[in-house]
Amino acid sequence: MQPEARTNRTAVTEFILLGLVETENLQPMVFVLFLLAYLVTVGGNLSILAAILVEPKLHTPMYFFLGNLSVLDIGCITVTVPAMLSRPLSHKRTVPYAACLSQLFFFHLLAGMDCFLLTAMAYDRFLAICQPLTYSTRMSQTVQRILVVVSWACAITNALIHTIALSTLNFCGPNEVNHFYCDLPQLFQLSCSSTQLNELLLFGMSFIMAGTPVVLIIISYIHVAAAVLQIRSAEGRKKAFSTCGSHLTVVCLFYGTGMFNYMRLGSEEASDKDKGVGVFNTIINPMLNPLIYSLRNSDVQGVLWRVLVGRQSLT
């Protein structure tokens, strides 16, 4: 919305989230589906964390990063889904302005952390496969912690920039958000001041936060592919590719939906397509991650089986 005739308008103090579906009859089904998705996601990621913690064989850099990814997945779905599920129960679709900004901050914090963590995981695979002799020293516990701390610092900076920039906008007109959580593209459409600078900032930061990690991941896997193809043993090649396959699948899902959602300038009215991308970002991806990593990893499968059925330690 343009800044004309801002006079005699009341500043917006709360937003109305229209939700995923507006049809009354479909809401109970959506509630059940999202509740199940939330429970499966939290349960699956907690299982991965439990497996990593109880099995000494999984106390390696790759699983250290995977454990952090599981924490992020739990956080990402918790930021959006419980609030969405509470609205049909309370019959209240409004969310205060401050709460909307808080949700946006934490969502972009966790999503930004995901970007850098996936890059760190690609770097770990590069060192493990291409530099095996120096892997233990170049990916020591100190290096792992530094990578995670730097990732958090970059993610916090990104989330703060977007939240502060959004807080400078004026909202004095319509307050209906065509989404099931507060996000930048949908809020831009409701502003009665110019959002051109905010949209450029979103595009630029998305390019830095997503584009740079993607380039680093691609470079890492070019080296990994070249090294794996030199392995003479078919079994060795299969094992090397299997450890990378799960990570590449998660990378494609995460960056594919993220780039579609945020690297668009001058987006038009929010549509159901945006809601679908939002479902992928906040629910499908966190739910699939533990399945992807466990189904393709015999070590994780074995430990999960032991944790769930109470078997003795693996030999």
Side-chain angles (χ1 to χ4, degrees):
M1 186 178 293
Q2 297 304 315
E4 67 238 16
R6 265 186 277 168
T7 55
N8 299 327
R9 287 189 178 184
T10 306
V12 170
T13 58
E14 62 182 17
F15 294 102
I16 299 172
L17 294 177
L18 297 181
L20 196 61
V21 293
E22 296 184 48
T23 308
E24 220 38 67
N25 295 336
L26 291 177
Q27 288 183 2
M29 182 179 70
V30 171
F31 178 88
V32 172
L33 287 175
F34 275 59
L35 177 61
L36 288 174
Y38 180 73
L39 294 175
V40 169
T41 301
V42 173
N45 283 288
L46 284 177
S47 298
I48 293 285
L49 275 173
I52 293 170
L53 289 172
V54 302
E55 179 53 56
K57 189 166 64 172
L58 301 185
H59 293 174
T60 64
M62 182 175 76
Y63 293 107
F64 170 75
F65 293 127
L66 179 57
N68 278 271
L69 185 65
S70 293
V71 172
L72 291 178
D73 287 338
I74 293 171
C76 189
I77 196 170
T78 300
V79 164
T80 54
V81 172
M84 188 194 78
L85 293 176
S86 68
R87 291 183 199 109
L89 297 177
S90 62
H91 302 287
K92 184 179 178 184
R93 295 191 296 175
T94 58
V95 55
Y97 175 83
C100 194
L101 257 63
S102 297
Q103 185 183 54
L104 183 142
F105 170 80
F106 284 109
F107 177 73
H108 282 269
L109 167 66
L110 296 167
M113 182 61 188
D114 251 328
C115 290
F116 292 109
L117 192 62
L118 290 172
T119 309
M121 294 173 78
Y123 178 61
D124 171 70
R125 292 298 83 207
F126 162 73
L127 290 180
I129 295 172
C130 301
Q131 308 286 338
L133 297 178
T134 58
Y135 175 68
S136 58
T137 54
R138 297 178 70 176
M139 190 52 77
S140 62
Q141 286 191 349
T142 302
V143 173
Q144 295 168 44
R145 289 169 186 150
I146 289 173
L147 287 172
V148 170
V149 169
V150 170
S151 297
W152 275 114
C154 293
I156 289 170
T157 302
N158 173 66
L160 276 175
I161 287 172
H162 287 308
T163 307
I164 292 170
L166 185 72
S167 68
T168 64
L169 297 178
N170 294 312
F171 294 93
C172 47
N175 65 339
E176 290 187 344
V177 180
N178 189 20
H179 217 316
F180 61 95
Y181 64 93
C182 294
D183 204 2
L184 292 169
Q186 289 73 35
L187 291 175
F188 287 165
Q189 293 155 15
L190 302 180
S191 174
C192 52
S193 51
S194 174
T195 61
Q196 186 176 7
L197 182 62
N198 297 74
E199 290 180 359
L200 285 171
L201 184 64
L202 175 59
F203 182 83
M205 292 302 295
S206 296
F207 185 81
I208 295 170
M209 296 289 292
T212 304
V214 164
V215 170
L216 294 174
I217 290 170
I218 290 172
I219 292 172
S220 295
Y221 275 109
I222 288 173
H223 288 285
V224 167
V228 170
L229 291 174
Q230 291 178 1
I231 299 175
R232 294 182 179 180
S233 165
E235 187 64 29
R237 285 197 299 271
K238 182 181 177 182
K239 185 176 181 181
F241 275 127
S242 69
T243 60
C244 301
S246 301
H247 179 251
L248 279 173
T249 304
V250 171
V251 166
C252 291
L253 287 171
F254 178 78
Y255 282 107
T257 54
M259 286 182 177
F260 175 83
N261 205 30
Y262 297 114
M263 296 192 73
R264 294 178 295 164
L265 285 175
S267 56
E268 297 178 359
E269 251 183 79
S271 64
D272 291 336
K273 200 178 291 182
D274 295 309
K275 294 181 184 180
V277 173
V279 170
F280 255 96
N281 285 335
T282 62
I283 299 165
I284 304 297
N285 287 350
M287 184 171 63
L288 288 179
N289 285 353
L291 292 174
I292 292 169
Y293 278 104
S294 60
L295 288 175
R296 297 180 64 95
N297 193 308
S298 58
D299 290 336
V300 174
Q301 287 177 24
V303 177
L304 284 175
W305 179 254
R306 177 165 61 82
V307 169
L308 292 173
V309 302
R311 291 193 171 184
Q312 296 301 312
S313 182
L314 293 174
T315 55

